């Protein structure tokens, strides 16, 4: 099935550092969604993107819908310990009819205080 | 507005048994999707329901089934449990019909352990 390539798979950073992660595909997407999942919980929506080039912020988080519609990135500024978790990108393919959301495999973020 | 709720949160079963998981979507949401999440496979789509009808189905065996009620609440059932069915089962709801490509909101999940 369709795959989203999410990178990096994991990252260890110092508290206060900025973080960047991205998702790429060979296919074109209409919508990009970024979720964060804490251990034992369900994914929580962070940012939704609907137009190519769109740049949206949610507090210290900023995400962009790539111009080619084949990629998206998420930045976290000035990381804090509660940013620890797994970040997932997800998207709806263009002209996909009834195709469900496609998910990346996640980026596991660890923050060292 | 209350979020997506799932019951039970944790469940332990033995091989061969069957299990039913429940999901209540956000009020006003009519689509419910189910996912299986395992460390090795990530999030895998099970099925999607809208207006009490299954509108989309992932690549899972027939042991996995579901249904949706008139109030949009949904249940999924797994029969003849196998060890490999141990996973976090997530339910997500969205407002409109499948194909509308709307944002999905997840519940906390049901952690199923099969012994």
């Amino acid at each position: 099935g369709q795959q989203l390539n999410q990178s990096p798979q994991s990252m260890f950073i110092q508290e206060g550092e900025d973080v960047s992660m991205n998702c790429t595909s060979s296919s074109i997407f209409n919508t990009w969604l970024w979720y964060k999942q804490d251990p034992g919980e369900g994914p929580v929506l962070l940012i939704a993107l609907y137009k190519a080039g769109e740049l949206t912020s949610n507090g210290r988080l900023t995400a962009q819908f790539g111009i080619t519609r084949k990629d998206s990135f998420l930045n976290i500024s000035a990381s804090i310990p509660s940013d620890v978790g797994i970040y997932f990108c997800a998207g709806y393919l263009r002209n996909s009819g009834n195709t469900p959301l496609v998910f990346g495999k996640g980026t596991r973020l660890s923050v060292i205080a | 507005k209350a979020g997506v709720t799932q019951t039970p949160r944790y469940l332990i079963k033995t091989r061969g048994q069957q299990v039913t998981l429940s999901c209540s979507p956000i009020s006003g949401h009519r689509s419910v999707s189910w996912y299986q999440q395992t460390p090795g496979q990530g999030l895998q789509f099970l099925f999607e329901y809208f207006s009490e009808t299954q509108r989309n189905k992932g690549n899972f065996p027939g042991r996995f089934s579901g249904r949706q009620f008139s109030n949009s609440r949904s249940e999924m059932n797994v029969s003849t449990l196998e060890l490999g069915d141990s996973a976090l089962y997530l339910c997500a709801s969205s407002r409109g019909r499948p194909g509308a490509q709307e944002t999905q909101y997840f519940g906390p999940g049901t952690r199923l352990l099969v012994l």
Side-chain angles (χ1 to χ4, degrees):
Chain A
Q2 180 60 40
Q3 285 198 341
L4 284 176
N5 301 308
Q6 187 171 351
S7 65
Q9 284 187 332
S10 62
M11 32 189 339
F12 290 80
I13 61 169
Q14 292 278 352
E15 183 177 357
E17 286 184 349
D18 296 343
V19 173
S20 185
M21 60 191 78
N22 67 80
C23 273
T24 62
S25 175
S26 57
S27 298
I28 293 174
F29 283 76
N30 276 343
T31 300
W32 287 98
L33 306 171
W34 285 92
Y35 293 89
K36 179 187 179 225
Q37 186 174 26
D38 292 328
E41 298 294 330
V44 173
L45 180 70
L46 299 173
I47 293 177
L49 303 162
Y50 303 104
K51 294 192 308 186
E54 181 180 352
L55 185 71
T56 298
S57 293
N58 177 8
R60 293 177 297 105
L61 278 61
T62 302
Q64 184 158 27
F65 194 140
I67 288 291
T68 65
R69 306 178 73 103
K70 296 183 180 180
D71 59 358
S72 176
F73 71 78
L74 175 71
N75 285 344
I76 306 173
S77 63
S79 58
I80 59 177
S82 62
D83 291 334
V84 166
I86 303 178
Y87 292 79
F88 290 97
C89 64
Y92 285 111
L93 288 162
R94 187 179 73 169
N95 299 329
S96 65
N98 206 17
T99 306
L101 260 182
V102 179
F103 283 85
K105 293 217 179 271
T107 295
R108 183 181 296 273
L109 178 63
S110 300
V111 178
I112 304 165
Chain B
K1 192 188 278 194
V4 179
T5 58
Q6 292 187 245
T7 56
R9 290 294 311 275
Y10 305 94
L11 208 47
I12 300 175
K13 293 285 188 178
T14 56
R15 277 184 301 174
Q17 287 188 309
Q18 67 93 26
V19 67
T20 299
L21 312 181
S22 181
C23 171
S24 292
I26 293 171
S27 177
H29 284 198
R30 298 170 64 194
S31 280
V32 173
S33 297
W34 287 90
Y35 297 86
Q36 181 195 65
Q37 186 179 33
T38 58
Q41 298 296 321
L43 274 153
Q44 292 190 289
F45 173 74
L46 281 156
F47 26 65
E48 181 174 20
Y49 286 86
F50 177 83
S51 288
E52 302 176 63
T53 302
Q54 187 181 91
R55 304 292 179 146
N56 215 338
K57 188 177 189 305
N59 189 25
F60 278 82
R63 299 185 298 107
F64 291 81
S65 63
R67 59 178 176 168
Q68 187 180 33
F69 302 94
S70 58
N71 61 358
S72 296
R73 191 177 69 84
S74 177
E75 289 181 347
M76 67 163 282
N77 183 277
V78 187
S79 62
T80 321
L81 284 166
E82 300 177 358
L83 295 179
D85 296 334
S86 296
L88 181 66
Y89 290 88
L90 293 162
C91 161
S93 75
S94 58
R95 282 188 310 173
R97 62 186 305 117
Q101 301 195 337
E102 295 185 344
T103 303
Q104 292 190 5
Y105 298 86
F106 284 85
T110 294
R111 172 77 62 186
L112 172 65
L113 177 62
V114 181
L115 301 175

